[in-house]
Amino acid sequence: MSATAEQLRALRQEVAGLERWTGQGAARRVPLGHAEVDAALGGGLETGRLHELFSRAAGDVGAAAGFAAMLAARFGSGVFWLRQEQAGRQGGALHGPGLAEIGLDPAQLILGVLEDPLAVLAAAGEAARCPGVGSVVVELHGMPRALDLIATRRLALAAEGSGASVLLLRIGGEARPSAAWTRWSVSAAPSAPLEAGAPGHPALDLELTRQKSGPPGGPWRVEWDRDGASFRTWSGGGAALSGAPLPPAADGSAAPPRRAVLPLRRLG
C-alpha cells in the first residue's frame, strides 16, 4: 500500500472518530437585530457553530474584522482571537479603542498570534473546547494548505461540543468546501450622517452566500448599534447597495465620507 493511501486511510479513521464525538453543547439562535437577516437565518445566527467571514475586497479587511468583533459582542462571554501573523501584517494590529468603540471590551478578549496556520488551527480547536468561551475568532491569511475540509470539520465539532461559536475570518482567501454552518461576504458601507454632520454609526454591506439550514440571502445594508450590541436597518434611507453616494445633508453640504469600521490599527 502506498504512503498516500495509508495517509488517506488514517485521515478517514480520524474523521470517523471525530464524528462519533458528539459533545453536549446545544446550539441556540441569537437574533442579530435586523429583521430581514434574522428571517433569512430562521430566527437568528446559531451559536455552537462554525461560521466563515470573507472580506469582499482587499480594502474591506477592517470591515470583515469589525463584523467578527460585532458578532462576538453579540454572542457575549469570553472571546479568544487567534491570528496568523501574516494576517496581522496584511490587515494591521487589533486596536483596543477600536474594539471598545464597537462594544467589545478588550479586557474580555485573549489574543494569540502564531506564525504557522497549522498552529493557529490547533490552538483554535483547544480554545473552542474551553468552558465559558463565547466566541473563537480564527484569522487566517490566504489559502493555507492546513485549512482543508477535515480541519474545518474539527473546528465545527469542537464548536458543537462546547456551544462556543467559531468565526473563521479569511483574509485574502477564497471560498472552498468547508464544514462551516454559514458563509458571509462583508464590505464597508457609508454611514448615515447624524445631526450637525456628526459621524454616523458603523455600517456594513452583508451577504449570506451559503448556509446549511436554508438558502443564501441578501445583500443587506446594516448599521451597528453599539449600545444595544445588535444590528439594525441602515438609517440612510433607500440608497442602493452599489455604493451610491448618500444624499446631501440638510444644509446642502456634501454627505460625509465613509466611517471606517476598524477594530484594526495599521502597522508601520
Side-chain angles (χ1 to χ4, degrees), residues 10 29 33 38 42 56 58 74 90-91 98 121 124 129 181 196 202-203 219 231 235 246 257 262 264:
R29 294 186 188 275
D38 286 335
R56 187 166 296 166
R74 185 65 180 159
Q90 180 78 13
L121 291 168
R129 292 182 176 90
W181 193 258
F231 296 93
S235 59
L246 290 170
L262 293 177
L264 304 177

Side-chain angles (χ1 to χ4, degrees), residues 190-193 197 244-258:
S191 295
L246 290 170
D251 61 3
S253 61
R258 287 186 173 188

Side-chain angles (χ1 to χ4, degrees), residues 127-191:
R129 292 182 176 90
C130 291
V133 173
S135 305
V136 180
V137 181
V138 187
E139 190 176 354
L140 294 174
H141 179 267
M143 303 289 287
R145 292 181 61 185
L147 186 63
D148 56 15
L149 184 58
I150 292 176
T152 60
R153 183 61 177 154
R154 289 174 183 152
L155 289 176
L157 286 167
E160 291 168 11
S162 68
S165 299
V166 179
L167 306 174
L168 183 54
L169 180 55
R170 303 291 308 283
I171 304 301
E174 298 177 0
R176 58 187 179 191
S178 78
W181 193 258
T182 65
R183 179 178 292 153
W184 299 83
S185 176
V186 186
S187 60
S191 295

Side-chain angles (χ1 to χ4, degrees), residues 4-264:
T4 301
E6 290 176 354
Q7 292 170 354
L8 182 59
R9 183 179 64 180
L11 287 172
R12 285 172 175 165
Q13 290 174 343
E14 182 175 358
V15 170
L18 285 168
E19 290 179 340
R20 286 193 294 270
W21 179 79
T22 57
Q24 298 298 321
R28 61 186 179 92
R29 294 186 188 275
V30 173
L32 299 185
H34 187 283
E36 292 183 8
V37 177
D38 286 335
L41 293 168
L45 192 62
E46 288 198 16
T47 63
R49 302 292 190 190
L50 171 65
H51 304 283
E52 273 187 310
L53 318 178
F54 288 84
S55 56
R56 187 166 296 166
D60 293 315
V61 171
F67 184 51
M70 292 166 186
L71 291 178
R74 185 65 180 159
F75 291 147
S77 194
V79 180
F80 275 91
W81 196 303
L82 300 168
R83 313 187 82 196
Q84 183 185 351
E85 190 175 27
Q86 179 63 28
R89 289 196 293 265
Q90 180 78 13
L94 281 181
H95 189 43
L99 292 169
E101 179 66 23
I102 286 173
L104 183 60
D105 183 357
Q108 300 299 313
L109 183 145
I110 297 175
L111 172 65
V113 181
L114 300 162
E115 183 175 358
D116 182 8
L118 186 60
V120 174
L121 291 168
E126 293 297 325
R129 292 182 176 90
C130 291
V133 173
S135 305
V136 180
V137 181
V138 187
E139 190 176 354
L140 294 174
H141 179 267
M143 303 289 287
R145 292 181 61 185
L147 186 63
D148 56 15
L149 184 58
I150 292 176
T152 60
R153 183 61 177 154
R154 289 174 183 152
L155 289 176
L157 286 167
E160 291 168 11
S162 68
S165 299
V166 179
L167 306 174
L168 183 54
L169 180 55
R170 303 291 308 283
I171 304 301
E174 298 177 0
R176 58 187 179 191
S178 78
W181 193 258
T182 65
R183 179 178 292 153
W184 299 83
S185 176
V186 186
S187 60
S191 295
L194 302 177
E195 292 182 5
H201 299 284
L204 300 170
D205 286 339
L206 302 178
E207 186 172 1
L208 178 61
T209 60
R210 176 180 179 270
Q211 65 170 328
K212 285 189 175 183
S213 59
W220 303 283
R221 179 160 288 175
V222 303
E223 252 178 21
W224 176 247
D225 176 9
R226 173 196 168 176
D227 294 334
S230 65
F231 296 93
R232 62 190 178 197
T233 302
W234 186 63
S235 59
L241 294 186
S242 59
L246 290 170
D251 61 3
S253 61
R258 287 186 173 188
R259 180 188 181 190
V261 184
L262 293 177
L264 304 177

